[in-house]
Amino acid sequence: GQNIDQPTEMTATEGAIVQINCTYQTSGFNGLFWYQQHAGEAPTFLSYNVLDGLEEKGRFSSFLSRSKGYSYLLLKELQMKDSASYLCAPPSVSGGYNKLIFGAGTRLAVHP
Amino acid sequence: DTGVSQDPRHKITKRGQNVTFRCDPISEHNRLYWYRQTLGQGPEFLTYFQNEAQLEKSRLLSDRFSAERPKGSFSTLEIQRTEQGDSAMYLCASSLVDRVNYGYTFGSGTRLTVV
């Protein structure tokens, strides 16, 4: 299978900043998605990095280095509602990059 | 636009029975995906369609699993002779081929429990 490595769990305090790292087997060309999944719910789209660099969207930012197979999701001003799993999703390196392959996700717990 | 709909939300079945799930994608989306997710894991790819054509099926997928998208709109996923290991959340997602930067939109899933 395609190796996607993310920390299993992280904890942080409300109002703080947390960085969730992801390393993956890269084609060197394709972008990468991040999804958020609350317990018992479907994943929802957070961000897509088509090129290398930092993409900022409100409290959430995502960084990508395609050559290194490395991405991170940065969450600022954490709120309790940010407690969720965060899934790193590069396109599959097999089958023509036509589908996303998801990591196991990082379960983030935000405490008061 | 009502999003991606999946039916039923929950299904409990006895081992050995057949089950069928339905997915209605966002109407203008031409790609439809099926994933399976177990507790503590990310979604695992099963198969996908572009319009009515099934373009890829996971090599890990048993022959007991079959999916159709007869008119390029809704899709069904059937599991024959269910086993306890089939217990999982089955997620459907849809997307537009030429709007890859929008990602997938997932449905709420069908939770299957095989007893």
Side-chain angles (χ1 to χ4, degrees):
Chain A
Q2 189 164 330
N3 294 326
I4 301 170
D5 194 24
Q6 304 179 236
T8 302
E9 292 184 352
M10 298 183 73
T11 59
T13 305
E14 199 174 11
I17 299 173
V18 69
Q19 178 174 315
I20 301 174
N21 295 323
C22 172
T23 57
Y24 64 99
Q25 180 184 355
T26 179
S27 66
F29 301 103
N30 290 286
L32 182 140
F33 291 82
W34 283 92
Y35 280 77
Q36 180 190 58
Q37 187 175 27
H38 285 97
E41 298 182 11
T44 56
F45 170 79
L46 276 183
S47 69
Y48 174 55
N49 290 68
V50 62
L51 298 173
D52 292 350
L54 188 67
E55 292 280 341
E56 298 187 72
K57 191 188 294 185
R59 294 189 299 113
F60 293 3
S61 302
S62 53
F63 171 84
L64 179 64
S65 169
R66 290 170 295 165
S67 62
K68 295 181 179 178
Y70 169 69
S71 176
Y72 69 73
L73 182 68
L74 192 71
L75 294 78
K76 304 175 186 175
E77 301 169 17
L78 283 171
Q79 302 176 9
M80 297 297 289
K81 67 178 182 180
D82 297 329
S83 294
S85 285
Y86 292 87
L87 302 165
C88 172
S92 172
V93 297
S94 63
Y97 310 104
N98 286 319
K99 61 186 183 290
L100 298 183
I101 300 299
F102 290 85
T106 298
R107 285 190 299 280
L108 173 66
V110 180
H111 299 289
Chain B
D1 180 4
T2 56
V4 178
S5 299
Q6 291 189 246
D7 184 68
R9 290 295 305 273
H10 303 274
K11 178 71 177 179
I12 300 174
T13 191
K14 291 183 178 179
R15 190 172 49 192
Q17 297 295 304
N18 299 344
V19 294
T20 300
F21 310 141
R22 177 179 169 121
C23 172
D24 287 88
I26 293 173
S27 57
E28 63 266 29
H29 284 187
N30 45 17
R31 281 212 176 148
L32 185 148
Y33 303 82
W34 285 99
Y35 283 80
R36 174 173 63 189
Q37 187 174 27
T38 54
L39 197 62
Q41 299 299 313
E44 174 194 14
F45 171 77
L46 296 179
T47 188
Y48 88 94
F49 294 83
Q50 183 161 317
N51 300 313
E52 66 273 13
Q54 186 174 19
L55 297 187
E56 188 175 347
K57 185 175 175 180
S58 170
R59 289 191 298 271
L60 302 176
L61 202 59
S62 161
D63 289 343
R64 296 183 296 106
F65 287 69
S66 62
E68 294 183 343
R69 194 183 182 196
K71 297 182 179 180
S73 56
F74 74 92
S75 176
T76 58
L77 177 69
E78 182 183 16
I79 310 174
Q80 296 181 330
R81 304 181 303 282
T82 52
E83 302 172 357
Q84 287 190 320
D86 298 331
S87 295
M89 175 74 84
Y90 289 83
L91 293 165
C92 175
S94 67
S95 69
L96 274 170
V97 173
D98 57 353
R99 297 283 181 92
V100 64
N101 56 314
Y102 289 6
Y104 297 175
T105 301
F106 280 90
S108 297
T110 294
R111 182 169 295 284
L112 173 66
T113 302
V114 181
V115 297

